[in-house]
PDB file of all heavy atoms in Angstrom:
ATOM      1  N   GLY A 257      34.814 -18.903 -17.630  1.00  0.00           N
ATOM      2  CA  GLY A 257      34.635 -19.784 -18.773  1.00  0.00           C
ATOM      3  C   GLY A 257      35.357 -21.103 -18.657  1.00  0.00           C
ATOM      4  O   GLY A 257      35.134 -21.999 -19.474  1.00  0.00           O
ATOM      5  N   LEU A 258      36.216 -21.243 -17.643  1.00  0.00           N
ATOM      6  CA  LEU A 258      36.944 -22.494 -17.451  1.00  0.00           C
ATOM      7  C   LEU A 258      36.357 -23.270 -16.275  1.00  0.00           C
ATOM      8  O   LEU A 258      35.828 -22.680 -15.333  1.00  0.00           O
ATOM      9  CB  LEU A 258      38.429 -22.232 -17.207  1.00  0.00           C
ATOM     10  CG  LEU A 258      39.163 -21.422 -18.273  1.00  0.00           C
ATOM     11  CD1 LEU A 258      40.655 -21.415 -17.986  1.00  0.00           C
ATOM     12  CD2 LEU A 258      38.875 -21.941 -19.671  1.00  0.00           C
ATOM     13  N   THR A 259      36.459 -24.596 -16.340  1.00  0.00           N
ATOM     14  CA  THR A 259      35.895 -25.473 -15.318  1.00  0.00           C
ATOM     15  C   THR A 259      36.952 -26.440 -14.818  1.00  0.00           C
ATOM     16  O   THR A 259      37.661 -27.062 -15.623  1.00  0.00           O
ATOM     17  CB  THR A 259      34.707 -26.278 -15.890  1.00  0.00           C
ATOM     18  OG1 THR A 259      33.702 -25.383 -16.362  1.00  0.00           O
ATOM     19  CG2 THR A 259      34.106 -27.178 -14.822  1.00  0.00           C
ATOM     20  N   LEU A 260      37.060 -26.534 -13.500  1.00  0.00           N
ATOM     21  CA  LEU A 260      37.922 -27.534 -12.862  1.00  0.00           C
ATOM     22  C   LEU A 260      37.052 -28.719 -12.478  1.00  0.00           C
ATOM     23  O   LEU A 260      36.069 -28.566 -11.750  1.00  0.00           O
ATOM     24  CB  LEU A 260      38.596 -26.940 -11.617  1.00  0.00           C
ATOM     25  CG  LEU A 260      39.279 -27.926 -10.659  1.00  0.00           C
ATOM     26  CD1 LEU A 260      40.437 -28.637 -11.350  1.00  0.00           C
ATOM     27  CD2 LEU A 260      39.769 -27.190  -9.412  1.00  0.00           C
ATOM     28  N   THR A 261      37.411 -29.902 -12.963  1.00  0.00           N
ATOM     29  CA  THR A 261      36.628 -31.106 -12.694  1.00  0.00           C
ATOM     30  C   THR A 261      37.513 -32.142 -12.000  1.00  0.00           C
ATOM     31  O   THR A 261      38.665 -32.349 -12.393  1.00  0.00           O
ATOM     32  CB  THR A 261      36.071 -31.705 -13.992  1.00  0.00           C
ATOM     33  OG1 THR A 261      35.226 -30.741 -14.629  1.00  0.00           O
ATOM     34  CG2 THR A 261      35.250 -32.967 -13.704  1.00  0.00           C
ATOM     35  N   ILE A 262      36.937 -32.776 -10.975  1.00  0.00           N
ATOM     36  CA  ILE A 262      37.645 -33.810 -10.216  1.00  0.00           C
ATOM     37  C   ILE A 262      36.780 -35.073 -10.197  1.00  0.00           C
ATOM     38  O   ILE A 262      35.587 -35.010  -9.882  1.00  0.00           O
ATOM     39  CB  ILE A 262      37.923 -33.358  -8.781  1.00  0.00           C
ATOM     40  CG1 ILE A 262      38.738 -32.050  -8.780  1.00  0.00           C
ATOM     41  CG2 ILE A 262      38.674 -34.445  -8.006  1.00  0.00           C
ATOM     42  CD1 ILE A 262      38.889 -31.435  -7.401  1.00  0.00           C
ATOM     43  N   TYR A 263      37.377 -36.203 -10.553  1.00  0.00           N
ATOM     44  CA  TYR A 263      36.715 -37.501 -10.459  1.00  0.00           C
ATOM     45  C   TYR A 263      37.172 -38.212  -9.192  1.00  0.00           C
ATOM     46  O   TYR A 263      38.374 -38.225  -8.874  1.00  0.00           O
ATOM     47  CB  TYR A 263      37.060 -38.379 -11.667  1.00  0.00           C
ATOM     48  CG  TYR A 263      36.376 -37.994 -12.944  1.00  0.00           C
ATOM     49  CD1 TYR A 263      37.072 -37.399 -13.984  1.00  0.00           C
ATOM     50  CD2 TYR A 263      35.023 -38.259 -13.125  1.00  0.00           C
ATOM     51  CE1 TYR A 263      36.443 -37.057 -15.168  1.00  0.00           C
ATOM     52  CE2 TYR A 263      34.382 -37.917 -14.309  1.00  0.00           C
ATOM     53  CZ  TYR A 263      35.100 -37.314 -15.325  1.00  0.00           C
ATOM     54  OH  TYR A 263      34.481 -36.976 -16.496  1.00  0.00           O
ATOM     55  N   THR A 264      36.240 -38.824  -8.486  1.00  0.00           N
ATOM     56  CA  THR A 264      36.567 -39.584  -7.281  1.00  0.00           C
ATOM     57  C   THR A 264      35.746 -40.871  -7.250  1.00  0.00           C
ATOM     58  O   THR A 264      34.703 -40.968  -7.900  1.00  0.00           O
ATOM     59  CB  THR A 264      36.277 -38.785  -5.998  1.00  0.00           C
ATOM     60  OG1 THR A 264      34.894 -38.394  -5.996  1.00  0.00           O
ATOM     61  CG2 THR A 264      37.152 -37.539  -5.919  1.00  0.00           C
ATOM     62  N   ALA A 265      36.222 -41.819  -6.476  1.00  0.00           N
ATOM     63  CA  ALA A 265      35.515 -43.086  -6.323  1.00  0.00           C
ATOM     64  C   ALA A 265      34.976 -43.202  -4.901  1.00  0.00           C
ATOM     65  O   ALA A 265      35.520 -42.616  -3.955  1.00  0.00           O
ATOM     66  CB  ALA A 265      36.449 -44.250  -6.619  1.00  0.00           C
ATOM     67  N   GLU A 266      33.906 -43.955  -4.741  1.00  0.00           N
ATOM     68  CA  GLU A 266      33.350 -44.190  -3.417  1.00  0.00           C
ATOM     69  C   GLU A 266      34.381 -44.917  -2.551  1.00  0.00           C
ATOM     70  O   GLU A 266      34.975 -45.912  -2.982  1.00  0.00           O
ATOM     71  CB  GLU A 266      32.084 -45.041  -3.525  1.00  0.00           C
ATOM     72  CG  GLU A 266      31.427 -45.329  -2.194  1.00  0.00           C
ATOM     73  CD  GLU A 266      30.192 -46.192  -2.335  1.00  0.00           C
ATOM     74  OE1 GLU A 266      29.792 -46.460  -3.483  1.00  0.00           O
ATOM     75  OE2 GLU A 266      29.630 -46.597  -1.290  1.00  0.00           O
ATOM     76  N   PRO A 267      34.614 -44.419  -1.329  1.00  0.00           N
ATOM     77  CA  PRO A 267      35.597 -45.070  -0.459  1.00  0.00           C
ATOM     78  C   PRO A 267      35.268 -46.548  -0.246  1.00  0.00           C
ATOM     79  O   PRO A 267      34.123 -46.919  -0.001  1.00  0.00           O
ATOM     80  CB  PRO A 267      35.482 -44.279   0.852  1.00  0.00           C
ATOM     81  CG  PRO A 267      34.983 -42.934   0.429  1.00  0.00           C
ATOM     82  CD  PRO A 267      34.062 -43.192  -0.723  1.00  0.00           C
ATOM     83  N   GLY A 268      36.292 -47.377  -0.367  1.00  0.00           N
ATOM     84  CA  GLY A 268      36.123 -48.804  -0.152  1.00  0.00           C
ATOM     85  C   GLY A 268      35.546 -49.568  -1.322  1.00  0.00           C
ATOM     86  O   GLY A 268      35.359 -50.784  -1.230  1.00  0.00           O
ATOM     87  N   SER A 269      35.253 -48.877  -2.413  1.00  0.00           N
ATOM     88  CA  SER A 269      34.628 -49.530  -3.567  1.00  0.00           C
ATOM     89  C   SER A 269      35.687 -50.137  -4.490  1.00  0.00           C
ATOM     90  O   SER A 269      36.870 -49.780  -4.439  1.00  0.00           O
ATOM     91  CB  SER A 269      33.800 -48.511  -4.351  1.00  0.00           C
ATOM     92  OG  SER A 269      34.662 -47.554  -4.965  1.00  0.00           O
ATOM     93  N   PRO A 270      35.274 -51.053  -5.375  1.00  0.00           N
ATOM     94  CA  PRO A 270      36.211 -51.585  -6.375  1.00  0.00           C
ATOM     95  C   PRO A 270      36.796 -50.470  -7.257  1.00  0.00           C
ATOM     96  O   PRO A 270      37.947 -50.583  -7.703  1.00  0.00           O
ATOM     97  CB  PRO A 270      35.337 -52.549  -7.197  1.00  0.00           C
ATOM     98  CG  PRO A 270      34.255 -52.966  -6.254  1.00  0.00           C
ATOM     99  CD  PRO A 270      33.966 -51.757  -5.416  1.00  0.00           C
ATOM    100  N   SER A 271      36.024 -49.413  -7.496  1.00  0.00           N
ATOM    101  CA  SER A 271      36.532 -48.320  -8.319  1.00  0.00           C
ATOM    102  C   SER A 271      37.657 -47.566  -7.612  1.00  0.00           C
ATOM    103  O   SER A 271      38.602 -47.088  -8.263  1.00  0.00           O
ATOM    104  CB  SER A 271      35.397 -47.360  -8.678  1.00  0.00           C
ATOM    105  OG  SER A 271      34.477 -47.978  -9.557  1.00  0.00           O
ATOM    106  N   GLU A 272      37.569 -47.436  -6.284  1.00  0.00           N
ATOM    107  CA  GLU A 272      38.668 -46.801  -5.554  1.00  0.00           C
ATOM    108  C   GLU A 272      39.937 -47.629  -5.700  1.00  0.00           C
ATOM    109  O   GLU A 272      41.028 -47.093  -5.923  1.00  0.00           O
ATOM    110  CB  GLU A 272      38.312 -46.638  -4.081  1.00  0.00           C
ATOM    111  CG  GLU A 272      39.399 -45.898  -3.291  1.00  0.00           C
ATOM    112  CD  GLU A 272      39.096 -45.805  -1.814  1.00  0.00           C
ATOM    113  OE1 GLU A 272      38.677 -46.836  -1.228  1.00  0.00           O
ATOM    114  OE2 GLU A 272      39.284 -44.724  -1.223  1.00  0.00           O
ATOM    115  N   GLU A 273      39.797 -48.934  -5.582  1.00  0.00           N
ATOM    116  CA  GLU A 273      40.953 -49.806  -5.786  1.00  0.00           C
ATOM    117  C   GLU A 273      41.450 -49.697  -7.224  1.00  0.00           C
ATOM    118  O   GLU A 273      42.665 -49.718  -7.480  1.00  0.00           O
ATOM    119  CB  GLU A 273      40.573 -51.257  -5.469  1.00  0.00           C
ATOM    120  CG  GLU A 273      41.709 -52.259  -5.680  1.00  0.00           C
ATOM    121  CD  GLU A 273      42.920 -51.986  -4.812  1.00  0.00           C
ATOM    122  OE1 GLU A 273      42.789 -51.336  -3.746  1.00  0.00           O
ATOM    123  OE2 GLU A 273      44.029 -52.425  -5.200  1.00  0.00           O
ATOM    124  N   GLY A 274      40.524 -49.545  -8.168  1.00  0.00           N
ATOM    125  CA  GLY A 274      40.912 -49.380  -9.562  1.00  0.00           C
ATOM    126  C   GLY A 274      41.736 -48.128  -9.784  1.00  0.00           C
ATOM    127  O   GLY A 274      42.705 -48.136 -10.550  1.00  0.00           O
ATOM    128  N   LEU A 275      41.379 -47.029  -9.109  1.00  0.00           N
ATOM    129  CA  LEU A 275      42.158 -45.796  -9.240  1.00  0.00           C
ATOM    130  C   LEU A 275      43.549 -45.958  -8.631  1.00  0.00           C
ATOM    131  O   LEU A 275      44.530 -45.408  -9.149  1.00  0.00           O
ATOM    132  CB  LEU A 275      41.422 -44.631  -8.574  1.00  0.00           C
ATOM    133  CG  LEU A 275      40.197 -44.092  -9.319  1.00  0.00           C
ATOM    134  CD1 LEU A 275      39.570 -42.936  -8.551  1.00  0.00           C
ATOM    135  CD2 LEU A 275      40.562 -43.632 -10.737  1.00  0.00           C
ATOM    136  N   ARG A 276      43.637 -46.725  -7.535  1.00  0.00           N
ATOM    137  CA  ARG A 276      44.960 -46.980  -6.952  1.00  0.00           C
ATOM    138  C   ARG A 276      45.820 -47.780  -7.931  1.00  0.00           C
ATOM    139  O   ARG A 276      47.011 -47.489  -8.132  1.00  0.00           O
ATOM    140  CB  ARG A 276      44.827 -47.751  -5.638  1.00  0.00           C
ATOM    141  CG  ARG A 276      44.222 -46.968  -4.486  1.00  0.00           C
ATOM    142  CD  ARG A 276      44.531 -47.650  -3.159  1.00  0.00           C
ATOM    143  NE  ARG A 276      43.788 -47.047  -2.071  1.00  0.00           N
ATOM    144  CZ  ARG A 276      42.664 -47.535  -1.546  1.00  0.00           C
ATOM    145  NH1 ARG A 276      42.145 -48.655  -2.035  1.00  0.00           N
ATOM    146  NH2 ARG A 276      42.054 -46.920  -0.556  1.00  0.00           N
ATOM    147  N   LEU A 277      45.208 -48.777  -8.550  1.00  0.00           N
ATOM    148  CA  LEU A 277      45.931 -49.563  -9.545  1.00  0.00           C
ATOM    149  C   LEU A 277      46.333 -48.696 -10.742  1.00  0.00           C
ATOM    150  O   LEU A 277      47.421 -48.863 -11.306  1.00  0.00           O
ATOM    151  CB  LEU A 277      45.067 -50.729 -10.013  1.00  0.00           C
ATOM    152  CG  LEU A 277      44.806 -51.845  -9.002  1.00  0.00           C
ATOM    153  CD1 LEU A 277      43.811 -52.850  -9.567  1.00  0.00           C
ATOM    154  CD2 LEU A 277      46.103 -52.530  -8.612  1.00  0.00           C
ATOM    155  N   LEU A 278      45.449 -47.766 -11.111  1.00  0.00           N
ATOM    156  CA  LEU A 278      45.745 -46.879 -12.229  1.00  0.00           C
ATOM    157  C   LEU A 278      46.949 -45.996 -11.920  1.00  0.00           C
ATOM    158  O   LEU A 278      47.807 -45.767 -12.786  1.00  0.00           O
ATOM    159  CB  LEU A 278      44.526 -46.009 -12.555  1.00  0.00           C
ATOM    160  CG  LEU A 278      44.679 -45.043 -13.726  1.00  0.00           C
ATOM    161  CD1 LEU A 278      44.966 -45.794 -15.025  1.00  0.00           C
ATOM    162  CD2 LEU A 278      43.412 -44.193 -13.884  1.00  0.00           C
ATOM    163  N   ALA A 279      47.026 -45.506 -10.683  1.00  0.00           N
ATOM    164  CA  ALA A 279      48.162 -44.686 -10.285  1.00  0.00           C
ATOM    165  C   ALA A 279      49.459 -45.491 -10.368  1.00  0.00           C
ATOM    166  O   ALA A 279      50.500 -44.992 -10.830  1.00  0.00           O
ATOM    167  CB  ALA A 279      47.954 -44.133  -8.879  1.00  0.00           C
ATOM    168  N   THR A 280      49.411 -46.748  -9.935  1.00  0.00           N
ATOM    169  CA  THR A 280      50.582 -47.621 -10.019  1.00  0.00           C
ATOM    170  C   THR A 280      50.952 -47.884 -11.468  1.00  0.00           C
ATOM    171  O   THR A 280      52.130 -47.843 -11.857  1.00  0.00           O
ATOM    172  CB  THR A 280      50.308 -48.954  -9.298  1.00  0.00           C
ATOM    173  OG1 THR A 280      49.987 -48.690  -7.938  1.00  0.00           O
ATOM    174  CG2 THR A 280      51.513 -49.871  -9.380  1.00  0.00           C
ATOM    175  N   TRP A 281      49.918 -48.152 -12.285  1.00  0.00           N
ATOM    176  CA  TRP A 281      50.146 -48.385 -13.717  1.00  0.00           C
ATOM    177  C   TRP A 281      50.771 -47.161 -14.370  1.00  0.00           C
ATOM    178  O   TRP A 281      51.702 -47.270 -15.179  1.00  0.00           O
ATOM    179  CB  TRP A 281      48.826 -48.738 -14.374  1.00  0.00           C
ATOM    180  CG  TRP A 281      48.901 -48.959 -15.865  1.00  0.00           C
ATOM    181  CD1 TRP A 281      49.277 -50.086 -16.513  1.00  0.00           C
ATOM    182  CD2 TRP A 281      48.585 -47.990 -16.883  1.00  0.00           C
ATOM    183  NE1 TRP A 281      49.209 -49.902 -17.865  1.00  0.00           N
ATOM    184  CE2 TRP A 281      48.794 -48.626 -18.125  1.00  0.00           C
ATOM    185  CE3 TRP A 281      48.146 -46.675 -16.859  1.00  0.00           C
ATOM    186  CZ2 TRP A 281      48.579 -47.982 -19.338  1.00  0.00           C
ATOM    187  CZ3 TRP A 281      47.921 -46.013 -18.062  1.00  0.00           C
ATOM    188  CH2 TRP A 281      48.145 -46.671 -19.293  1.00  0.00           C
ATOM    189  N   ALA A 282      50.267 -45.975 -13.998  1.00  0.00           N
ATOM    190  CA  ALA A 282      50.791 -44.737 -14.582  1.00  0.00           C
ATOM    191  C   ALA A 282      52.259 -44.551 -14.228  1.00  0.00           C
ATOM    192  O   ALA A 282      53.066 -44.137 -15.070  1.00  0.00           O
ATOM    193  CB  ALA A 282      49.974 -43.548 -14.084  1.00  0.00           C
ATOM    194  N   ALA A 283      52.612 -44.853 -12.971  1.00  0.00           N
ATOM    195  CA  ALA A 283      54.003 -44.720 -12.558  1.00  0.00           C
ATOM    196  C   ALA A 283      54.888 -45.685 -13.334  1.00  0.00           C
ATOM    197  O   ALA A 283      56.012 -45.354 -13.722  1.00  0.00           O
ATOM    198  CB  ALA A 283      54.123 -44.989 -11.055  1.00  0.00           C
ATOM    199  N   THR A 284      54.373 -46.889 -13.604  1.00  0.00           N
ATOM    200  CA  THR A 284      55.118 -47.872 -14.381  1.00  0.00           C
ATOM    201  C   THR A 284      55.334 -47.384 -15.805  1.00  0.00           C
ATOM    202  O   THR A 284      56.423 -47.514 -16.373  1.00  0.00           O
ATOM    203  CB  THR A 284      54.369 -49.214 -14.406  1.00  0.00           C
ATOM    204  OG1 THR A 284      54.188 -49.667 -13.065  1.00  0.00           O
ATOM    205  CG2 THR A 284      55.146 -50.257 -15.202  1.00  0.00           C
ATOM    206  N   GLN A 285      54.281 -46.812 -16.397  1.00  0.00           N
ATOM    207  CA  GLN A 285      54.396 -46.294 -17.758  1.00  0.00           C
ATOM    208  C   GLN A 285      55.393 -45.151 -17.839  1.00  0.00           C
ATOM    209  O   GLN A 285      56.147 -45.024 -18.803  1.00  0.00           O
ATOM    210  CB  GLN A 285      53.025 -45.834 -18.270  1.00  0.00           C
ATOM    211  CG  GLN A 285      51.973 -46.924 -18.320  1.00  0.00           C
ATOM    212  CD  GLN A 285      52.401 -48.106 -19.159  1.00  0.00           C
ATOM    213  OE1 GLN A 285      52.749 -47.951 -20.330  1.00  0.00           O
ATOM    214  NE2 GLN A 285      52.381 -49.278 -18.562  1.00  0.00           N
ATOM    215  N   GLU A 286      55.392 -44.310 -16.817  1.00  0.00           N
ATOM    216  CA  GLU A 286      56.305 -43.164 -16.807  1.00  0.00           C
ATOM    217  C   GLU A 286      57.750 -43.645 -16.689  1.00  0.00           C
ATOM    218  O   GLU A 286      58.661 -43.078 -17.293  1.00  0.00           O
ATOM    219  CB  GLU A 286      55.966 -42.235 -15.643  1.00  0.00           C
ATOM    220  CG  GLU A 286      56.772 -40.951 -15.634  1.00  0.00           C
ATOM    221  CD  GLU A 286      56.322 -39.992 -14.551  1.00  0.00           C
ATOM    222  OE1 GLU A 286      55.282 -40.254 -13.917  1.00  0.00           O
ATOM    223  OE2 GLU A 286      57.009 -38.974 -14.349  1.00  0.00           O
ATOM    224  N   ALA A 287      57.942 -44.710 -15.916  1.00  0.00           N
ATOM    225  CA  ALA A 287      59.286 -45.240 -15.741  1.00  0.00           C
ATOM    226  C   ALA A 287      59.752 -46.017 -16.967  1.00  0.00           C
ATOM    227  O   ALA A 287      60.956 -46.138 -17.213  1.00  0.00           O
ATOM    228  CB  ALA A 287      59.333 -46.143 -14.514  1.00  0.00           C
ATOM    229  N   ASN A 288      58.781 -46.548 -17.756  1.00  0.00           N
ATOM    230  CA  ASN A 288      59.108 -47.345 -18.941  1.00  0.00           C
ATOM    231  C   ASN A 288      58.319 -46.830 -20.140  1.00  0.00           C
ATOM    232  O   ASN A 288      57.352 -47.466 -20.568  1.00  0.00           O
ATOM    233  CB  ASN A 288      58.784 -48.822 -18.699  1.00  0.00           C
ATOM    234  CG  ASN A 288      59.524 -49.394 -17.507  1.00  0.00           C
ATOM    235  OD1 ASN A 288      60.703 -49.696 -17.596  1.00  0.00           O
ATOM    236  ND2 ASN A 288      58.815 -49.522 -16.384  1.00  0.00           N
ATOM    237  N   PRO A 289      58.681 -45.664 -20.688  1.00  0.00           N
ATOM    238  CA  PRO A 289      57.893 -45.067 -21.779  1.00  0.00           C
ATOM    239  C   PRO A 289      57.785 -45.949 -23.006  1.00  0.00           C
ATOM    240  O   PRO A 289      56.820 -45.884 -23.745  1.00  0.00           O
ATOM    241  CB  PRO A 289      58.660 -43.766 -22.086  1.00  0.00           C
ATOM    242  CG  PRO A 289      60.040 -43.990 -21.535  1.00  0.00           C
ATOM    243  CD  PRO A 289      59.852 -44.861 -20.329  1.00  0.00           C
ATOM    244  N   GLU A 290      58.793 -46.827 -23.239  1.00  0.00           N
ATOM    245  CA  GLU A 290      58.701 -47.693 -24.412  1.00  0.00           C
ATOM    246  C   GLU A 290      57.557 -48.689 -24.261  1.00  0.00           C
ATOM    247  O   GLU A 290      56.933 -49.097 -25.238  1.00  0.00           O
ATOM    248  CB  GLU A 290      60.016 -48.443 -24.626  1.00  0.00           C
ATOM    249  CG  GLU A 290      60.419 -49.391 -23.492  1.00  0.00           C
ATOM    250  CD  GLU A 290      61.120 -48.652 -22.351  1.00  0.00           C
ATOM    251  OE1 GLU A 290      61.277 -47.425 -22.449  1.00  0.00           O
ATOM    252  OE2 GLU A 290      61.519 -49.312 -21.369  1.00  0.00           O
ATOM    253  N   THR A 291      57.226 -49.072 -23.004  1.00  0.00           N
ATOM    254  CA  THR A 291      56.080 -49.947 -22.756  1.00  0.00           C
ATOM    255  C   THR A 291      54.787 -49.253 -23.109  1.00  0.00           C
ATOM    256  O   THR A 291      53.869 -49.826 -23.702  1.00  0.00           O
ATOM    257  CB  THR A 291      56.050 -50.399 -21.283  1.00  0.00           C
ATOM    258  OG1 THR A 291      57.284 -51.023 -20.973  1.00  0.00           O
ATOM    259  CG2 THR A 291      54.890 -51.346 -21.038  1.00  0.00           C
ATOM    260  N   GLU A 292      54.693 -47.973 -22.752  1.00  0.00           N
ATOM    261  CA  GLU A 292      53.485 -47.192 -23.069  1.00  0.00           C
ATOM    262  C   GLU A 292      53.307 -47.077 -24.546  1.00  0.00           C
ATOM    263  O   GLU A 292      52.209 -47.221 -25.090  1.00  0.00           O
ATOM    264  CB  GLU A 292      53.598 -45.808 -22.425  1.00  0.00           C
ATOM    265  CG  GLU A 292      52.387 -44.934 -22.705  1.00  0.00           C
ATOM    266  CD  GLU A 292      52.501 -43.578 -22.041  1.00  0.00           C
ATOM    267  OE1 GLU A 292      53.578 -43.246 -21.537  1.00  0.00           O
ATOM    268  OE2 GLU A 292      51.482 -42.850 -22.060  1.00  0.00           O
ATOM    269  N   ASP A 293      54.442 -46.840 -25.287  1.00  0.00           N
ATOM    270  CA  ASP A 293      54.343 -46.711 -26.737  1.00  0.00           C
ATOM    271  C   ASP A 293      53.810 -47.987 -27.366  1.00  0.00           C
ATOM    272  O   ASP A 293      52.956 -47.957 -28.251  1.00  0.00           O
ATOM    273  CB  ASP A 293      55.729 -46.387 -27.327  1.00  0.00           C
ATOM    274  CG  ASP A 293      56.192 -44.990 -26.956  1.00  0.00           C
ATOM    275  OD1 ASP A 293      55.328 -44.183 -26.556  1.00  0.00           O
ATOM    276  OD2 ASP A 293      57.403 -44.729 -27.034  1.00  0.00           O
ATOM    277  N   SER A 294      54.279 -49.137 -26.882  1.00  0.00           N
ATOM    278  CA  SER A 294      53.829 -50.392 -27.468  1.00  0.00           C
ATOM    279  C   SER A 294      52.389 -50.706 -27.102  1.00  0.00           C
ATOM    280  O   SER A 294      51.661 -51.327 -27.877  1.00  0.00           O
ATOM    281  CB  SER A 294      54.747 -51.537 -27.000  1.00  0.00           C
ATOM    282  OG  SER A 294      54.661 -51.698 -25.597  1.00  0.00           O
TER     283      SER A 294
END
Side-chain angles (χ1 to χ4, degrees):
L258 304 188
T259 301
L260 167 63
T261 300
I262 303 172
Y263 286 108
T264 57
E266 180 181 354
S269 68
S271 292
E272 184 184 45
E273 179 61 23
L275 286 180
R276 290 198 189 100
L277 291 174
L278 181 61
T280 301
W281 178 82
T284 302
Q285 300 303 305
E286 186 174 351
N288 302 283
E290 62 277 0
T291 304
E292 180 179 10
D293 291 342
S294 63

